[in-house]
Amino acid sequence: MLRPCWRCDVLIPERRGEALCRLFVLAILAALAGQSGADPPAAPDTEHSIPPAPTEPATGAVLEVNPPTVVFEELYAGATGESEVSLRNGGSQTLVIESVKAGCGCTGVLLGEKRLEPGQSTPLKVSFRSADKDVGHPVRKVVTIHSNDPRNNGQYRLDLVAHVKAGVIVNPLNLNLGEISPGEEQNPTVHLEAEDGEPFRILQASVSDPKMTLHYDQNVESNTHSLKLRFVPEDARQNSRAQLTIQTNHPKRSQIQVPVYWRISRPVTVRPAYLALGRLDPGADVQRSVELVSRLPEPLADVRFRVEGAPITVLATQSLSSPSTWDLTLHVPQQLAGERVRARLVVDTSDKRARDIVVALTAEVTNDINLMPDLPGF
């Protein structure tokens, strides 16, 4: 038998009235709660929450470099760029900077302190000397810092990057005269041109080899200049390099340096190129033969032999069977007893292209002095 519910007036069975009514009311309330949104968030459990861990410094010694890369934005060829970086100990133990090494001779370094306590810093000054060969492309150099920071085996790579401009364009960048013969005149030329097209003057120019001469227009305003070098090598032992230095009034390029290289050809060579006399007694005479190989069109004349660096005398006779072969008798005086001899056998001729030809000479002289006197004439 049905009867109305005492709460909502819905007709329900008489025995289950109140229980079914409660279920019906709860269903309606749940539907209304779903339409109004999610349940409100629960209150935080402050009693069981875990606070964040405090930040601690890194353990051990830690090298921090600021900035990590040094950039020279605008550097003109021949100029030196300078910068400073900061080295800091970001660890919890003493940082020891063992060494700072530059990667090449054009890079310089200057370190402040070598020992840094946690949190301490020190400056590191770095410099880079540019050259004409660096123009037109980014130049990268490396400075290596060695320390007791265990990372990367204790090495930190500091990169230096430079963007180099010419200011004055030099052509060629170096004078390579190649292989030349004694007495052969050389006349190479160096050309200068202002990169911005503005006129400038050559104030002074010089070359390190006194046997070289220069011709150029001094104190003439122009955006291009030429310098002519005159050089006549005299012998095979003359210097094989020199440097041309040019001073200008250009605001971006006050000094220009041009290296000069050459190699003296040897139209006459000696075989063998090394004479080892071995172990000798004082006062002994040693016989050796050498061959003079000549590429000169005319035969060699007035051939002379001498020893430099030791009091050894030489007697030379030309072989009858082979005109290019010379038989030598080398006399070792008693005063060289007990010495290791390092000397030079020098060959001279009347032709200036075949002078000062050097052959290395070695000997080991014993202490067994020969009581026979040295022969006269030796």
Side-chain angles (χ1 to χ4, degrees):
M1 184 176 180
L2 300 177
R3 68 177 182 82
C5 175
W6 62 277
R7 290 184 178 181
C8 56
D9 295 331
V10 177
L11 296 177
I12 57 175
E14 185 175 0
R15 293 182 178 180
R16 302 178 181 177
E18 292 187 7
L20 292 175
C21 180
R22 289 191 184 97
L23 292 175
F24 183 74
V25 172
L26 290 175
I28 294 175
L29 292 176
L32 293 175
Q35 293 178 0
S36 62
D39 295 337
D45 185 4
T46 57
E47 182 178 355
H48 299 88
S49 61
I50 301 176
T55 303
E56 296 181 357
T59 58
V62 177
L63 174 62
E64 297 177 353
V65 181
N66 185 34
T69 301
V70 176
V71 180
F72 301 102
E73 286 294 348
E74 186 172 300
L75 192 63
Y76 285 89
T80 299
E82 297 180 347
S83 185
E84 184 176 293
V85 299
S86 174
L87 307 184
R88 180 180 180 273
N89 183 4
S92 59
Q93 296 181 8
T94 302
L95 174 68
V96 179
I97 301 174
E98 299 166 357
S99 64
V100 180
K101 296 182 179 180
C104 68
C106 58
T107 307
V109 294
L110 180 61
L111 176 64
E113 299 294 331
K114 288 189 174 183
R115 297 180 63 89
L116 300 177
E117 298 301 325
Q120 286 187 338
S121 301
T122 189
L124 172 64
K125 296 181 180 180
V126 295
S127 62
F128 168 67
R129 185 179 68 254
S130 62
D132 285 284
K133 62 182 179 63
D134 303 322
V135 174
H137 58 88
V139 181
R140 299 184 181 275
K141 301 296 178 180
V142 177
V143 172
T144 305
I145 305 172
H146 299 265
S147 71
N148 63 337
D149 185 338
R151 299 173 300 173
N152 300 320
N153 295 323
Q155 296 184 10
Y156 185 93
R157 175 190 174 107
L158 175 63
D159 292 325
L160 310 183
V161 182
H163 302 277
V164 183
K165 296 183 178 181
V168 174
I169 301 172
V170 183
N171 185 28
L173 298 180
N174 59 73
L175 290 174
N176 190 347
L177 307 183
E179 184 172 332
I180 56 179
S181 300
E184 181 182 347
E185 182 173 333
Q186 304 293 314
N187 295 283
T189 302
V190 176
H191 301 280
L192 308 179
E193 181 180 357
E195 189 176 31
D196 55 7
E198 294 296 324
F200 67 99
R201 290 179 294 155
I202 296 179
L203 303 179
Q204 186 179 1
S206 61
V207 63
S208 60
D209 194 312
K211 297 185 181 299
M212 296 181 175
T213 57
L214 277 172
H215 176 74
Y216 62 97
D217 295 328
Q218 189 174 11
N219 292 323
V220 174
E221 289 280 351
S222 177
N223 61 350
T224 60
H225 293 272
S226 296
L227 298 92
K228 179 174 286 188
L229 183 70
R230 182 181 181 274
F231 174 46
V232 182
E234 294 183 355
D235 57 68
R237 289 198 294 178
Q238 190 168 335
N239 294 334
S240 60
R241 63 182 302 164
Q243 183 159 278
L244 171 62
T245 302
I246 307 168
Q247 306 288 342
T248 78
N249 70 337
H250 193 281
K252 303 297 184 181
R253 196 72 185 277
S254 61
Q255 180 173 286
I256 300 169
Q257 292 182 330
V258 181
V260 186
Y261 306 97
W262 67 92
R263 185 174 65 258
I264 302 295
S265 65
R266 298 181 180 272
V268 177
T269 57
V270 181
R271 296 177 181 173
Y274 175 74
L275 283 180
L277 304 184
R279 186 178 177 86
L280 305 171
D281 292 332
D285 293 334
V286 185
Q287 279 72 39
R288 291 289 188 273
S289 294
V290 296
E291 181 184 6
L292 302 184
V293 182
S294 175
R295 299 194 304 270
L296 297 175
E298 58 277 351
L300 297 176
D302 192 19
V303 179
R304 302 177 302 278
F305 294 83
R306 70 180 187 275
V307 174
E308 294 181 350
I312 298 177
T313 54
V314 186
L315 179 63
T317 56
Q318 191 172 15
S319 174
L320 297 178
S321 59
S322 176
S324 62
T325 301
W326 291 77
D327 298 322
L328 308 179
T329 300
L330 298 103
H331 179 70
V332 180
Q334 295 185 2
Q335 68 188 76
L336 293 178
E339 294 190 14
R340 292 178 178 268
V341 177
R342 300 289 185 271
R344 300 174 299 277
L345 176 67
V346 183
V347 184
D348 281 323
T349 72
S350 58
D351 194 323
K352 63 181 180 181
R353 295 170 295 178
R355 292 177 181 171
D356 293 322
I357 307 169
V358 177
V359 177
L361 184 148
T362 62
E364 183 177 353
V365 186
T366 68
N367 283 313
D368 300 332
I369 298 178
N370 188 353
L371 298 180
M372 294 293 293
D374 290 343
L375 296 177
F378 280 85

